[in-house]
Amino acid sequence: MTRFQVDGKVVERVDLLKRRHWLWRLNVWPFAIIYSLWVFIVLPSLDFTDAAIVFGGIAVVHILVFLFTAWSVDFRCFVQYSKAKGIHDADACKITPAKFSGSKEIVPLCCRKITAGSSTSQTIDSEEIYFDFRKQRFIFSDEMKNFCKLPYPSKETFGFYLRNTGHGSEAKVSAAIEKWGRNVFDYPQPTFQKLMKEHCMEPFFVFQVFCVGLWCLDEYWYYSLFTLFMLFLFESTMAKSRLKTLTELRRVRVDNQTIMVHRCGKWVKLSGVDLLPGDVVSIGRSSGQSGEDRSVPADMLLLAGSAIVNEAILTGESTPQWKVSISGRGMEEKLSARRDKNHILFGGTKILQHTPDKAVHLKTPDGGCLAVVLRTGFETSQGKLMRTILFSTERVTANSWESGLFILFLVVFALIAAGYVLKKGLEDPSRSKYKLFLSCSLIITSVIPPELPMELSIAVNTSLIALARRGIFCTEPFRIPFAGKVDICCFDKTGTLTSDDMEFRGVVGLTSSMELESDTSKIPLRTQEILAACHALVFVDNKLVGDPLEKAAIKGIDWTYTSDEKAVPKRGSTHAVQIIQRHHFASHLKRMAVVVRVQEEFFAFVKGAPETIQGRLTELPQGYVDTYKQFTRQGSRVLALAYKSIPEMTVSEARNLERDLVESDLIFAGFAVFNCPIRADSATVLCELKGSTHDLVMITGDQALTACHVASQVHIISKPSLILTPVRGSQRFEWVSPDESQTISYSQNEVESLSESFDLCIGGDCFEMLQQGSAALQVIPFVKVFARVAPDQKELIMTTLKTVGRMTLMCGDGTNDVGALKQAHVGVALLNAIPPAQPDGSSSAEASKSDTKVGKQKKQSKPGTESLGLNGDGSGQSKSRASRAPKASESGSNATANRHLTAAEKQRLKLKQLMDEMNEEGDGRSPPIVKLGDASMASPFTAKHASVSPTLDIIRQGRSTLVTTLQMFKILGLNCLATAYVLSVMYLDGVKLGDMQATISGVFTAAFFLFISHARPLSTLSPERPHPNIFCAYVFLSLLGQFAIHLLFLISSVKEAEKYMPEECVEPDSEFHPNLVNTVSYMASMMIQVATFAVNYMGHPFNQSIRENKPFLYALTMAVVFFTAITSDLFRSLNDWLKLVPLPQPFGTKLLGWAMLMMVSCLLWERLLRWAFPGKMPSRKRRQRPAAIAQKKAL
């Protein structure tokens, strides 16, 4: 078997290869034969010049074959490798990564010997076949007959971990080092020269250098050198930017603090970089020389003790997390990294406080917590985030495959034009064959403009910079165009749409009355004790930290919590409540419990979701369900409180009580009711999203009635709502209205029609039924509110929506929503650190103005002191990000001040200023450096805002990227079609461009592209959508219509000019001489170029209009003034410098009039097409039908 279908998250497919001997490679022996034939056959039979041309052709093909082995992995496989017969015959393999995980690679296939006794399971000598791909190791499994990721001890039973005492012998330590390697982030730092060489080997760059050579042969020296200079500067800028990013990433290292490790039966001191999976260590809070807290060096599982950890660097969660040991868990239960994260210390996080367990069998010598290492190096959580950032630093382009097809479409036109020139040229025997082939080559190559890679990079990178200015960071830039295509936005509720600041309203349910008791003196003592003690609050550096809801409860009942884990009332003589053992909240259980001691009596206090506690009560009070439903309908957060007395026992026995025993046979103690205020801007933001043709969905772990109430307040629900609930005592389900006045029986085939008149809500308990009956595809796409949803169910919702063709955006808080955020096309993790930069929803344009001011001020400060502020409001950006508009005008004034310079020097000066701007980090050319503190491991987009407003910014920038890409392709397409015509048909008539004319034309194009990239998205989202693809009727009709108008204008202008020309023979192969036809054709083609930019500029409803984009408006005005000046011959010296002859006066005015008519005609055609073909997403039904058909076939 030579191909293995891995289908993993990183690797999709592996092909086995065997390297050929260098003599038998297809880029060596065939060419050796061809060169021999040239020496013995071609050279003697042809004259030397023709033989040299043949040799040149062979050499070019040979060079191309060598270059293609660098450009194409598949081609390199074909040339340098053969297919291996089997796994033992192979010495390399071709890796095809999963979608959006980068490009194919060839990596060496390695084999290592494993000696007997090196591990507990190893009894005989064997060998392990593996390959390393992007800092991950994949080994060949004989059992599965496939490659799988190198296993780490991270999915074993809790009993396995508790019995573990570390690596018992030096042989096992050596085997572990050989298997997993050292605990380091090891990646080589490339040099500038290496990166520059890599950039210069890219196909586009090589092609452009080839074109420059062709232009030089046709004596366009200024233009050729200008283009080459521009290319080299652009590539060096990109290489410098990448080097800066990689240097920044190399600063992140595993903390090499000294740690006590239990190896070979004794405790030894080791550096953090020497840790191995399976090591048992003592870990606690430790400080470096500067007094900073040291970070955890690897992912570890707590075996004994507890710790308070700051995980902000990974998840952005500002609240410190409480990590507890696995001592209370079932021995046969298996560890799940997602479910049991409250037992795991993640690499890179910082321990703020730790409490050792003195009763454990393996005592730590330094008073730290006992932990076992699970994963090291790039496999830790920090390592995964590092990999995401590291392997997304390559050059970014939008719609790269579409750009290839679009260029192919243009090449077809160029081939037709070149074929026409070749046919006509061969009919004339006097014509130079060398010049003829040169002109044909120039026509074909002219359709790929030198600025194409810059413009495609601008589209995405401008958005990256704009988002970074507003505190939004992106680790996967290819997702930005997806944001422009999003049609369904999903939101978490708690901490996302609603505030984290909870308000305790009171207690209800202890009497027959449904009135809320907010007077703490009337709340029963036992209920107060449960609220005061059943929580996970903790003191860190003498400050109480934890869940805002639990803090609100203690504040509401007027109790205090002390650092020795005692809850004490502020008033009265009530006894303190001492916490003995905590069973922390788990999302899959929906409850938490504590064992406490009040005086000498033990109690179990439990709180959780009302429906969860309901089944654990010894006696269900009358009106239990009606009471909690009444308050959840009002949007309140309701928690059921319960307790039970525990028989007399010792403290150690109480600590070891099983969780299930603690949480059963409970006595009801009331409902605690909390208010969860909706964020100030949630309703406004969601209203704008709904108005811009986005469907809205809420996905929450909260109760269905609460969720529906909040959803109605933030415009997710606008119609009457129905909730899918199981019918008691049967397997059936039914739709019930929130007030239970309406009931409709459930049928999966009627869900679509039901969704037209109702907004539907389903709970987490219905998911199992949907999955079993394969009804998920027929139900989930029509639901507006998902309640009581577990994290893995959130992921299922995302995958289902993607399956039916929806473009999804998920916005959550980055802790419980990781799976869903990763699954969505656009995942936005909110780091609830600070309020948004502009809560009033002011425009991005205004933001950019303020950024410009900030950038100007920062220019005066030292770059070394500037670092990215945590507030994400642009006040702490890593580099000055001043707008380029002032710079552009400065460059213009400099140019006028230096009119005495030669033409070449002027071009050099102009280009130097452009490149200086491109070197700035905030220029829209190079993506901003994403640092670990800015990115979250949760999702591709991380927003440093306590608000959902970043979703608007991301969608706005996504739409702007799509629109910008589309307008650039149209402009490039029209310019190239016009160029192909000028170089072909007009070339045969003797019309040529002067060297300086071509250079000025190139500068105009570069400047206009620079100025249209200044366009910023509008502050409000439009109901209209951008066209999601380049290939659509609108683009093709627009191109063909405008090209026809341009052609008519060009032909008419040249024909009119010919009337004023004396009868003379024009030699196409002669050197350039100014004449009237040449002057008119140059003016006409320049006017067409400017008109193309003006007409195809996409302004409202997505970006600023031409009038609002001041640099572009000024450039257009200057262009009009320039054309008026050269056609009216106002500055004779300017026309002489451009080698333009004077126009007969009535013809000059006529030419300007025709130009205006051409521009107006193109504008009307473009506006007509935009009206006839508005951008819209395919209808929901049309997209869902293919998914439904595919599902039926599968069944």
Side-chain angles (χ1 to χ4, degrees), residues 323 457 746 1076 1161:
K323 303 291 182 176
S457 296
Y746 164 77
L1076 187 63
S1161 304

Side-chain angles (χ1 to χ4, degrees), residues 304-332:
S306 63
I308 312 299
V309 182
N310 178 5
E311 293 186 345
I313 196 164
L314 293 185
T315 64
E317 179 59 61
S318 53
T319 307
Q321 302 296 301
W322 194 326
K323 303 291 182 176
V324 294
S325 74
I326 59 170
S327 54
R329 300 297 296 267
M331 297 290 273
E332 296 307 312

Side-chain angles (χ1 to χ4, degrees), residues 1084-1191:
S1085 59
M1086 283 289 284
M1087 288 169 178
I1088 285 169
Q1089 200 176 79
V1090 173
T1092 301
F1093 277 98
V1095 169
N1096 292 285
Y1097 177 83
M1098 298 254 195
H1100 289 192
F1102 307 111
N1103 289 337
Q1104 292 172 317
S1105 64
I1106 292 179
R1107 201 176 297 170
E1108 292 162 338
N1109 186 357
K1110 299 296 182 196
F1112 187 54
L1113 179 66
Y1114 297 150
L1116 281 178
T1117 309
M1118 283 170 64
V1120 171
V1121 171
F1122 174 74
F1123 292 139
T1124 309
I1126 60 172
T1127 49
S1128 56
D1129 208 15
L1130 284 175
F1131 305 104
R1132 182 66 258 165
S1133 57
L1134 174 67
N1135 283 26
D1136 287 341
W1137 180 64
L1138 289 171
K1139 297 189 178 176
L1140 299 174
V1141 301
L1143 298 181
Q1145 196 34 53
F1147 179 54
T1149 313
K1150 193 187 284 185
L1151 186 65
L1152 279 174
W1154 284 0
M1156 191 56 67
L1157 185 65
M1158 174 269 296
M1159 189 167 169
V1160 170
S1161 304
C1162 287
L1163 194 64
L1164 289 172
W1165 175 248
E1166 177 67 14
R1167 290 287 178 269
L1168 175 69
L1169 289 175
R1170 286 187 197 177
W1171 172 80
F1173 299 98
K1176 57 183 179 183
M1177 302 298 282
S1179 71
R1180 183 196 285 187
K1181 287 181 185 176
R1182 217 164 70 211
R1183 279 185 311 227
Q1184 283 178 203
R1185 203 168 289 125
I1189 292 166
Q1191 188 194 27

Side-chain angles (χ1 to χ4, degrees), residues 974-1041:
L974 285 165
N975 282 348
C976 293
L977 290 173
T979 307
Y981 177 79
V982 170
L983 289 172
S984 56
V985 179
M986 297 179 74
Y987 179 79
L988 290 172
D989 295 337
V991 177
K992 285 184 76 174
L993 290 183
D995 192 5
M996 191 50 65
Q997 292 173 357
T999 310
I1000 291 293
S1001 174
V1003 171
F1004 256 92
T1005 308
F1008 273 118
F1009 270 125
L1010 187 70
F1011 294 140
I1012 63 169
S1013 72
H1014 270 266
R1016 305 188 188 283
L1018 294 183
S1019 58
T1020 52
L1021 286 174
S1022 163
E1024 288 182 48
R1025 290 180 170 275
H1027 290 275
N1029 301 306
I1030 297 166
F1031 292 97
C1032 56
Y1034 157 71
V1035 173
F1036 278 103
L1037 289 174
S1038 176
L1039 279 178
L1040 295 173

Side-chain angles (χ1 to χ4, degrees), residues 777 781 799-806 1180 1183-1185 1187-1188:
L777 285 176
T799 50
T800 306
L801 290 172
K802 281 164 71 180
T803 306
V804 298
R806 307 301 299 267
R1180 183 196 285 187
R1183 279 185 311 227
Q1184 283 178 203
R1185 203 168 289 125

Side-chain angles (χ1 to χ4, degrees), residues 882-1091:
S883 170
R884 288 164 300 188
K887 282 226 159 196
S889 56
E890 284 165 27
S891 66
S893 61
N894 287 347
T896 24
N898 292 295
R899 277 197 185 277
H900 61 276
L901 296 174
T902 65
E905 284 170 330
K906 279 186 185 179
Q907 300 318 320
R908 212 173 296 125
L909 181 70
K910 171 83 177 168
L911 215 80
K912 184 178 182 300
Q913 285 165 344
L914 288 180
M915 290 301 161
D916 282 345
E917 288 184 358
M918 291 171 79
N919 273 313
E920 289 182 19
E921 191 182 5
D923 62 352
R925 301 305 186 279
S926 56
I929 296 170
V930 180
K931 300 171 188 171
L932 270 178
D934 306 328
S936 159
M937 68 177 193
S939 72
F941 292 90
T942 304
K944 295 195 167 184
H945 296 282
S947 153
V948 290
S949 60
T951 54
L952 286 178
D953 288 318
I954 291 166
I955 289 173
R956 209 180 281 134
Q957 290 296 342
R959 287 185 170 189
S960 179
T961 300
L962 282 179
V963 164
T964 306
T965 308
L966 193 67
Q967 78 186 8
M968 282 177 175
F969 274 116
K970 285 177 68 186
I971 291 165
L972 290 171
L974 285 165
N975 282 348
C976 293
L977 290 173
T979 307
Y981 177 79
V982 170
L983 289 172
S984 56
V985 179
M986 297 179 74
Y987 179 79
L988 290 172
D989 295 337
V991 177
K992 285 184 76 174
L993 290 183
D995 192 5
M996 191 50 65
Q997 292 173 357
T999 310
I1000 291 293
S1001 174
V1003 171
F1004 256 92
T1005 308
F1008 273 118
F1009 270 125
L1010 187 70
F1011 294 140
I1012 63 169
S1013 72
H1014 270 266
R1016 305 188 188 283
L1018 294 183
S1019 58
T1020 52
L1021 286 174
S1022 163
E1024 288 182 48
R1025 290 180 170 275
H1027 290 275
N1029 301 306
I1030 297 166
F1031 292 97
C1032 56
Y1034 157 71
V1035 173
F1036 278 103
L1037 289 174
S1038 176
L1039 279 178
L1040 295 173
Q1042 287 185 62
F1043 182 54
I1045 295 165
H1046 293 167
L1047 214 56
L1048 182 65
F1049 169 63
L1050 202 57
I1051 293 167
S1052 305
S1053 305
V1054 172
K1055 293 290 181 198
E1056 188 71 17
E1058 283 173 354
K1059 292 177 185 176
Y1060 297 92
M1061 280 273 288
E1063 289 288 327
E1064 59 180 60
C1065 179
V1066 180
E1067 175 55 53
D1069 294 333
S1070 64
E1071 285 190 12
F1072 172 76
H1073 293 292
N1075 59 42
L1076 187 63
V1077 171
N1078 159 259
T1079 299
V1080 169
S1081 66
Y1082 175 66
M1083 287 179 179
S1085 59
M1086 283 289 284
M1087 288 169 178
I1088 285 169
Q1089 200 176 79
V1090 173

Side-chain angles (χ1 to χ4, degrees), residues 542-561:
N542 297 318
K543 187 182 174 186
L544 191 65
V545 295
D547 191 334
L549 179 139
E550 294 173 338
K551 284 203 234 174
I554 288 184
K555 186 182 175 185
I557 59 171
D558 208 20
W559 280 52
T560 56
Y561 180 64

Side-chain angles (χ1 to χ4, degrees), residues 46-166:
L46 294 176
D47 64 71
F48 185 74
T49 309
D50 291 344
I53 291 171
V54 173
F55 183 82
I58 297 168
V60 166
V61 173
H62 200 179
I63 290 166
L64 276 175
V65 169
F66 269 109
L67 286 170
F68 265 102
T69 58
W71 296 338
S72 167
V73 171
D74 289 321
F75 189 77
R76 197 189 323 159
C77 289
F78 172 69
V79 170
Q80 298 181 355
Y81 295 86
S82 59
K83 277 190 177 179
K85 293 173 185 172
I87 189 89
H88 296 285
D89 184 48
D91 54 15
C93 47
K94 181 178 77 174
I95 312 299
T96 306
K99 198 176 182 185
F100 296 126
S101 296
S103 50
K104 295 175 183 176
E105 284 183 34
I106 296 173
V107 296
L109 192 67
C110 307
C111 181
R112 71 180 184 95
K113 292 272 188 257
I114 304 172
T115 53
S118 61
S119 71
T120 49
S121 59
Q122 200 70 36
T123 53
I124 56 167
D125 287 0
S126 63
E127 63 176 17
E128 186 176 82
I129 297 168
Y130 67 93
F131 65 84
D132 293 324
F133 178 68
R134 293 190 184 157
K135 304 301 174 189
Q136 283 187 293
R137 180 162 290 186
F138 293 81
I139 59 168
F140 183 72
S141 166
D142 286 319
E143 292 172 20
M144 296 166 63
K145 296 295 178 195
N146 204 342
F147 284 96
C148 54
K149 270 171 65 176
L150 176 68
Y152 281 75
S154 57
K155 293 180 181 175
E156 308 296 334
T157 62
F158 289 119
F160 169 84
Y161 296 117
L162 290 168
R163 287 190 295 270
N164 194 357
T165 56

